[in-house]
Amino acid sequence: GDSVTQMEGPVTLSEEAFLTINCTYTATGYPSLFWYVQYPGEGLQLLLKATKADDKGSNKGFEATYRKETTSFHLEKGSVQVSDSAVYFCALRSNFGNEKLTFGTGTRLTIIP
Amino acid sequence: GAGVSQSPSNKVTEKGKDVELRCDPISGHTALYWYRQSLGQGLEFLIYFQGNSAPDKSGLPSDRFSAERTGGSVSTLTIQRTQQEDSAVYLCASSEEGGYGYTFGSGTRLTVV
């Protein structure tokens, strides 16, 4: 079945550092890929998405590129801020069957000033 | 409504009691999903509705769990004879048919004591 593997946290970085959170997936066909973010005390929000190979999703300075050859969708940001502290979830939606999302276990990111 | 509304936001119940969790999706969203987020775990898919029918119930962990959706709108997740391992945050999300992004509610935090 479909699965998503994320880099384990927690991750602690200093402000303005470069961020990478690794995500790889296993799925049949050509899934759509997503990053969701959960800020403290808030619900899950869609951060960015990519629906086909080589697409790059971007939002709020975050980027992720759909790499079919390595089955990866790593999240990157060039200069993190304290306000980026949150839990980040990688997810996929298979293009076969229903539309449910399969999530990774989440990575807790803490940015220190 | 403007977002996905879940109630109650917090529920403490005694082991063995039944609980009902409610989800009110965004008006017009035909797809509705229930997920469970346990401490230190990712998001576990429970059930998916398209309209009033549930084409995928594969994630329901046991026959103590059931869900229904009426009028293509509000959904109720019922847990009978609750156990301590049912303690988690139960998240509801909705999306347009064929839409890529989910909108999540803030969740119901269930604690079984």
Side-chain angles (χ1 to χ4, degrees):
Chain A
D2 297 344
S3 68
V4 176
T5 302
Q6 273 184 249
M7 129 186 223
E8 287 192 19
V11 173
T12 302
L13 294 172
S14 297
E15 204 166 21
E16 299 183 2
F18 184 87
L19 168 72
T20 300
I21 301 177
N22 289 339
C23 172
T24 57
Y25 67 90
T26 301
T28 50
Y30 303 95
S32 298
L33 302 174
F34 305 82
W35 277 99
Y36 278 80
V37 59
Q38 188 173 33
Y39 297 104
E42 298 185 17
L44 276 162
Q45 303 172 27
L46 177 64
L47 180 60
L48 53 84
K49 69 178 188 290
T51 58
K52 61 182 187 296
D54 300 324
D55 267 3
K56 177 185 286 188
S58 62
N59 186 23
K60 299 182 180 181
F62 290 89
E63 292 183 340
T65 301
Y66 189 141
R67 301 286 188 200
K68 184 165 172 53
E69 63 275 15
T70 54
T71 61
S72 66
F73 193 54
H74 304 321
L75 182 68
E76 296 182 336
K77 186 172 185 180
S79 176
V80 291
Q81 305 300 312
V82 171
S83 58
D84 294 326
S85 298
V87 181
Y88 292 82
F89 293 89
C90 186
L92 70 82
R93 193 192 70 186
S94 174
N95 287 332
F96 292 93
N98 71 34
E99 300 177 38
K100 74 178 185 185
L101 285 171
T102 299
F103 286 87
T105 53
T107 302
R108 181 176 297 278
L109 174 66
T110 301
I111 307 300
I112 54 177
Chain B
V4 177
S5 178
Q6 290 188 246
S7 60
S9 55
N10 279 286
K11 176 72 176 178
V12 179
T13 190
E14 292 180 352
K15 179 180 172 181
K17 301 282 191 184
D18 298 352
V19 294
E20 282 190 356
L21 312 180
R22 177 187 167 105
C23 173
D24 200 343
I26 291 174
S27 178
H29 279 194
T30 58
L32 185 147
Y33 313 82
W34 283 98
Y35 284 81
R36 179 168 70 175
Q37 186 177 19
S38 303
L39 187 64
Q41 304 292 316
L43 277 81
E44 176 187 5
F45 168 77
L46 298 178
I47 188 170
Y48 155 62
F49 287 92
Q50 184 62 249
N52 290 337
S53 64
D56 189 346
K57 306 179 183 179
S58 63
L60 294 178
S62 75
D63 59 7
R64 295 187 295 106
F65 288 72
S66 63
E68 65 176 14
R69 188 180 186 195
T70 55
S73 181
V74 172
S75 176
T76 303
L77 177 69
T78 301
I79 310 173
Q80 295 179 310
R81 304 181 303 281
T82 52
Q83 303 296 313
Q84 287 186 329
E85 62 262 28
D86 300 335
S87 296
V89 176
Y90 289 82
L91 293 168
C92 176
S94 70
S95 73
E96 297 175 342
E97 185 173 358
Y100 284 109
Y102 290 6
T103 301
F104 278 88
S106 297
T108 294
R109 182 176 297 278
L110 175 67
T111 304
V112 181
V113 297

